[in-house]
Amino acid sequence: MPENESRAPRSPGLRERKKILTRQTIAEAAFSLAREHGLDAVTIDDIAERAFVSPRTVSNYFPSKEAAVVASSSDGPDELLVGLDARPADEEPLLSLRAVIVEAMGAWDDDRLASVREREALIDRFPALLPHRMAQYDALEDAMRRSVAQRAHVDAETETFPRLVAAAAAAAVKTAVRVWVRQDGTTPTLVELVEQAFDELEAGLPEPTED
């Protein structure tokens, strides 16, 4: 079997697709309610009613309403790291991570970007959401660490190299998002800020110079 075929991702089955759709529906319901009424006013029962599921189903998918809210417009590892296994084996890992993350974020349309911006604004309003957002970044960093270790043929748990690379890449993404949601205009774009963050990492983080 050709190498590219052996690496092709498995398409989710009908049952798995239904679970993904249910999870997305619950997350969007939680987010819209929190945006409309404030986080404190939202209950699991409210989320279930809007998502047309039972409260038990909501709890089966999310441990709390906060986790459901933050899962809206989720940019998890599966999405951001699509194509990483297909990058050249001899490519520097930070460049590989940069390439797939930029490609993934570059595919987000205006509606998706608006949802991400609104979610980040909601997290700023309600600190109880922050630990769940940080858990998402931790999950992304863990996925990158394991991938880098596998490509470098080193242990993901005991070697510093994959941890440092993954931590740097995750910090670039997090920094770009935080800067982007705080800017007044529409430029630089989110992707441009991600590119800038990786540029500065690759340059060794030189101090900014005055124009």
Side-chain angles (χ1 to χ4, degrees):
M1 179 180 295
E3 184 178 358
N4 60 343
E5 290 184 9
S6 66
R7 289 180 174 179
R10 179 184 62 84
S11 298
L14 178 60
R15 183 179 178 85
E16 188 175 348
R17 292 199 301 270
K18 286 183 176 179
K19 288 184 177 181
I20 293 171
L21 179 60
T22 300
R23 179 181 175 84
Q24 291 173 340
T25 300
I26 294 171
E28 292 303 324
F31 173 73
S32 62
L33 286 166
R35 183 177 55 186
E36 294 167 13
H37 306 293
L39 180 66
D40 295 339
V42 177
T43 66
I44 295 295
D45 287 346
D46 294 332
I47 297 171
E49 181 177 0
R50 179 160 296 193
F52 299 101
V53 298
S54 69
R56 181 177 180 179
T57 298
V58 174
S59 297
N60 285 341
Y61 278 87
F62 296 102
S64 66
K65 65 181 181 181
E66 290 84 1
V69 170
V70 173
S72 171
S73 301
S74 176
D75 42 357
D78 290 343
E79 178 184 7
L80 288 180
L81 301 182
V82 168
L84 184 58
D85 289 344
R87 299 298 301 179
D90 59 349
E91 185 175 54
E92 293 183 9
L94 203 59
L95 295 180
S96 297
L97 292 171
R98 172 182 182 156
V100 297
I101 290 170
V102 165
E103 183 174 0
M105 288 186 166
W108 293 355
D109 60 19
D110 290 342
D111 289 341
R112 175 64 185 278
L113 290 168
S115 295
V116 171
R117 188 183 290 275
E118 289 174 354
R119 182 196 60 193
E120 296 297 323
L122 200 63
I123 292 170
D124 284 342
R125 284 176 55 196
F126 300 103
L129 297 174
L130 184 58
H132 300 277
R133 183 63 174 125
M134 298 308 296
Q136 290 179 334
Y137 284 123
D138 287 345
L140 174 62
E141 183 177 333
D142 283 344
M144 291 190 293
R145 171 176 56 83
R146 291 191 296 269
S147 179
V148 170
Q150 182 178 14
R151 290 163 64 88
H153 306 290
V154 298
D155 190 280
E157 301 299 326
T158 61
E159 296 290 335
T160 59
F161 178 74
R163 289 186 179 276
L164 287 172
V165 172
V173 174
K174 180 167 60 176
T175 298
V177 171
R178 301 307 286 167
V179 171
W180 176 68
V181 298
R182 284 168 170 72
Q183 67 184 12
D184 295 330
T186 57
T187 56
T189 66
L190 177 55
V191 168
E192 288 171 341
L193 286 167
V194 172
E195 294 267 29
Q196 179 182 331
F198 275 97
D199 282 342
E200 292 176 354
L201 282 177
E202 291 163 14
L205 296 177
E207 290 188 20
T209 57
E210 296 183 3
D211 295 333

